Every structure is written in C-alpha cells, then in structure tokens.
C-alpha cells in the first residue's frame, strides 16, 4: 500500500503540537475534563478510494461532579463530542450525560449513556475509537448494539468479591413514548444487562441486550456478548471476545414513487482473539483478529489489526495502527468508520485497509 508523503508530514505536525495540561475544579464539586485524539490515516477500500484523511477520534469535552449528601453522594455529568479537525461540536450533551445517586446500595443514574452491553467490550477493547476498532464488525447496518440510548435508567450493584452487576432500561427513543393514531404502542424500549468479574489478573464480563419492535427500519433485535482478558505476567496480556446477534430489519412498503424495501437479515456471530505486550514500561505492542460469520450467505468478513503505542506520559500517547477487513461478495465493511469522523464507505467483496498515525491527549 502506498505510504504518501502527506501522511508523514501531517503526523509530524501532530507530534509537534504544543500541549497544555488543563483541569479545573470548583470547591471539589465540578471537574472540567476532555480528550483530544486525532490521527492521519491512509485509507484504501480496495477499489477506487485510496486517500489520506485527518480524523478526530471520539474527542470529547465534559463537566462532572459529585457532592456528599448525608449517607448518599449525588453525581452528575455532561459530556459532548468535539470534532477538532472540523472545528466544532455535535451539540451539548451528545455523549454520556446523566444525574444519579451513589451509596452503600450501589449506584442509580438516569439520562443518556453507554449501555452495560456496550461497556462490556472493555476487556477486549485494544483499538477503541481508532482504525481497527472492533465495532467495525459488531455494529453493522441496523444491527447496532454499541449504543448510547436516551431516557435510560440504570442500576449498578456494589462490587463484591470482584463481582458487579449492571441493569439498564431505556423507556423510549425521543422526547415522548409513542402511540399510533389507532392506540397501538410503538415498542422502542431497550433492556441491557451485564455481569462482570475482576480478580487479580482476570477480567471477565457477560452481557445481553434486547430491543423492542422499534421503528419500521430497525425492527426487534437482541444480542449476547462476552469479553475477557488475562494478564499472564507484567508484560503479556491475552484477550478474547464473542458476540451473537439476532437482527432482522422490517420490510418497508413503497410510498409514492419510492420502491419497497425488503426485510434484511443482519444476524451474525463475531469472535476475536487479541494480545498486548509491553515491550518496555512506555511501549505497548498489540494486535487482534476478528471474524464475523453472517447468517446469510456471502456476507462474512474478517479483520486483523496490529499496532504500537508509545506512552510518553499518563496524559499523552502516540500510536501507529494497521488494519485490514476482508469482505465476502455480499458485504462491504471497512476498519475505519466507527468512533471517528472519517466515514467513507467500503466496497463489497473487496479488502479495505487503513494505516493510521495518531496522538491522544487526555486532560
């Protein structure tokens, strides 16, 4: 794959960008925080697209706080996405935003935030928000299980003997629950739950998620997910991942001159293996391989990602990733769409590749 001069020049500019550590607290009740993550990517869809892009990768800005109230602690957070390469935000409170209470009973919160199912990818999440993110195979079409739904209530148990349970329920999508003119309720609720276990070098989590009938375009869908990591020694960690999703979008009748849209089966099983090796206290080498086995014919894909990360400081890191997705004739996936501002499409039956040089700064 051609490694253009522009990707080298742009990566050098990222590395030379002056950084200032910034954190603001007021009476211990309010914290200002964020993340700036940008990368320069050479993207090739294996067909007609082969270009260099600058991407902002789930960069964010947030405010959060807590206050002790008797035996309880009030908690809140307001977070939004910031697209540094495009010079703007997607609006206030676009990311995890909630209010809640924490105590000996656990934590209860309400708002818009990642479901327990989405969070359950954590032990395997080697390339989150970067080229090669696992969601490029798990979050396909309308079979979108890595979501941040609105109108959500969640309870988290206290951690006991390494175990913690989470249960979340999203009542409806949008400002109001919807009933049709004939009085039929629209089922767009979501149930999500997980059980995690952490003890010593072992990190395990199992999660399930179920969507109501939803809109005419999405339909009912459900999935099970398991992720694990084990720290073999101070240098080597091994990871495993499995997801089984059952998702079929509903047929949409023709309206006016528009053609009818047939139901689409997007059910698939995704498996993955990965590792991280600390070559030194500041250099991490990592890789994963993932396979997506679709229920319909000619719709399988597989992805492998390799990367190296230099942790200059707790707040600053630089990385280089290479990822490739090989598609069957009936599917078009790529390794660069999820969690990033770059959204160019892939080509069916082709192998899409991405080479990425990036910087992440947490403040």
């Amino acid at each position: 794959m051609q490694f253009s001069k522009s990707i080298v020049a742009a990566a050098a500019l990222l590395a030379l960008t002056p950084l200032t550590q910034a954190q603001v607290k007021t009476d211990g009740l309010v914290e200002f925080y964020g993340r700036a993550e940008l990368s320069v990517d050479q993207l090739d869809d294996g067909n007609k697209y082969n270009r260099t892009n600058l991407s902002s990768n789930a960069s964010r800005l947030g405010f959060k706080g807590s206050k002790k109230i008797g035996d309880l602690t009030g908690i809140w957070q307001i977070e939004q996405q910031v697209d540094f390469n495009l010079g703007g935000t997607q609006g206030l409170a676009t990311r995890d935003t909630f209010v809640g209470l924490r105590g000996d009973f656990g934590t209860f919160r309400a708002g818009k935030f990642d479901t327990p199912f989405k969070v359950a990818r954590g032990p395997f999440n080697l390339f989150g928000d970067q080229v090669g993110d696992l969601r490029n195979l798990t979050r396909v079409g309308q079979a979108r299980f890595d979501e941040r739904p609105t109108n959500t209530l969640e309870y988290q148990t206290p951690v006991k003997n390494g175990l913690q349970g989470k249960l979340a329920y999203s009542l409806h999508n949008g400002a109001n629950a919807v009933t049709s003119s004939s009085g039929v309720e629209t089922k767009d609720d979501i149930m999500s739950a997980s059980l995690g276990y952490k003890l010593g070098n072992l990190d395990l989590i199992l999660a399930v998620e179920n969507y109501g009938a939803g809109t005419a375009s999405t339909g009912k869908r459900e999935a099970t997910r398991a992720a694990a990591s084990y720290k073999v020694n101070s240098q080597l960690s091994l990871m495993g991942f499995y997801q089984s999703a059952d998702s079929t979008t509903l047929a949409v009748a023709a309206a006016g001159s528009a053609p009818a849209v047939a139901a689409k089966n997007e059910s698939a099983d995704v498996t993955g293996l990965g590792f991280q090796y600390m070559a030194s206290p500041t250099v991490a080498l990592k890789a994963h391989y993932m396979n997506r086995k679709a229920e319909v014919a000619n719709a399988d894909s597989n992805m492998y990602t390799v990367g190296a990360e230099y942790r200059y400081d707790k707040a600053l890191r630089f990385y280089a990733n290479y990822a490739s997705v090989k598609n069957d004739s009936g599917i078009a996936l790529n390794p660069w769409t999820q969690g990033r501002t770059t959204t160019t499409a892939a080509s069916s039956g082709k192998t899409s590749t991405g080479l990425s040089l990036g910087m992440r700064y947490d403040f």
Side-chain angles (χ1 to χ4, degrees):
M1 182 181 65
Q2 180 183 2
F3 187 82
S4 67
K5 293 181 180 179
S6 56
I7 194 171
V8 178
L13 287 175
L14 285 179
L16 294 174
T17 302
L19 302 171
T20 303
Q21 182 74 17
Q23 190 173 42
V24 177
K25 291 186 178 181
T26 304
D27 297 329
L29 303 179
V30 180
E31 180 181 346
F32 164 71
Y33 68 95
R35 174 180 296 174
E37 181 171 351
L38 295 101
S39 63
V40 183
D41 314 313
Q42 186 71 30
L43 308 178
D44 184 352
D45 73 348
N47 189 14
K48 297 180 179 179
Y49 187 89
N50 188 356
R51 299 292 300 276
T52 303
N53 290 261
L54 177 64
S55 178
S56 181
N57 305 339
S59 299
R60 66 204 67 168
L61 180 66
F63 305 87
K64 62 183 178 180
S66 62
K67 183 176 182 179
K68 188 74 172 176
I69 309 170
D71 293 332
L72 302 176
T73 299
I75 58 173
W76 64 273
Q77 178 175 297
I78 301 173
E79 186 176 289
Q80 49 278 326
Q81 180 169 318
V82 180
D83 296 333
F84 282 96
N85 62 324
L86 302 178
T89 68
Q90 293 186 345
L92 185 65
T94 54
R95 292 178 57 87
D96 284 14
T97 299
F98 56 84
V99 63
L101 290 172
R102 184 169 58 229
D104 293 339
F105 60 88
T107 301
F108 175 82
R109 59 180 181 162
K112 173 184 177 180
F113 42 83
D114 292 347
T115 66
F117 187 90
K118 181 177 181 179
V119 175
R121 71 174 187 262
F124 190 81
N125 206 29
L126 287 166
F127 300 97
D129 304 324
Q130 300 174 8
V131 167
D133 190 314
L134 66 88
R135 289 174 294 175
N136 289 293
L137 262 61
T138 63
R139 193 171 181 258
V140 175
Q142 294 296 338
R144 301 167 74 90
F145 294 99
D146 283 271
E147 298 299 290
R148 184 180 292 116
T150 58
N151 305 300
T152 300
L153 305 174
E154 183 187 69
Y155 170 67
Q156 302 178 9
T157 70
V159 178
K160 188 173 183 179
N161 297 323
L163 287 168
Q164 184 181 38
K166 298 180 182 180
L167 177 64
Y169 182 68
S170 174
L171 283 73
H172 54 85
N173 185 34
N176 306 294
V178 178
T179 299
S180 70
S181 57
S182 60
V184 177
E185 179 185 0
T186 298
K187 297 284 188 179
D188 61 353
D189 57 327
I190 305 169
M191 187 283 294
S192 184
S194 69
L195 180 63
Y197 178 68
K198 292 183 180 181
L199 184 65
N201 295 332
L202 183 63
D203 188 355
L204 300 171
I205 192 162
L206 176 67
V208 294
E209 194 158 275
N210 183 284
Y211 283 66
T215 67
S217 62
T218 58
K220 183 178 175 65
R221 56 198 194 276
E222 57 188 11
T224 301
R225 169 177 290 179
S229 68
Y230 179 70
K231 190 173 183 179
V232 179
N233 53 44
S234 61
Q235 292 177 297
L236 178 64
S237 296
L238 303 177
M239 294 85 174
F241 179 88
Y242 175 74
Q243 176 178 299
S244 181
D246 184 3
S247 175
T248 301
T249 61
L250 302 177
V252 180
S257 59
V261 178
K264 186 176 182 180
N265 185 351
E266 294 178 331
S267 302
D269 292 343
V270 179
T271 55
L273 294 172
F275 76 88
Q276 176 174 279
Y277 179 75
M278 298 301 300
S280 77
T282 58
V283 177
L285 306 177
K286 49 189 178 177
H288 70 204
Y289 173 80
M290 302 192 69
N291 180 70
R292 180 179 183 271
K293 179 65 176 177
E295 192 168 291
V296 299
N298 303 315
D300 297 346
S301 300
N302 61 68
M303 174 175 70
Y304 72 85
T305 309
V306 294
E309 184 175 83
Y310 172 53
R311 299 169 183 174
Y312 178 84
D313 182 80
K314 183 178 180 181
L316 176 64
R317 63 187 68 186
F318 302 94
Y319 59 85
N321 297 345
Y322 177 79
S324 174
V325 172
K326 183 179 180 181
N327 295 301
D328 277 355
S329 59
I331 190 72
L333 302 180
N334 63 50
W336 61 72
T337 297
Q338 297 299 323
R340 298 157 24 85
T341 55
T342 303
T343 58
T344 58
S347 297
S348 296
K350 302 295 183 178
T351 297
S352 297
T353 60
L355 175 63
S356 178
L357 300 180
M359 175 198 77
R360 173 178 147 186
Y361 171 49
D362 295 313
F363 58 90

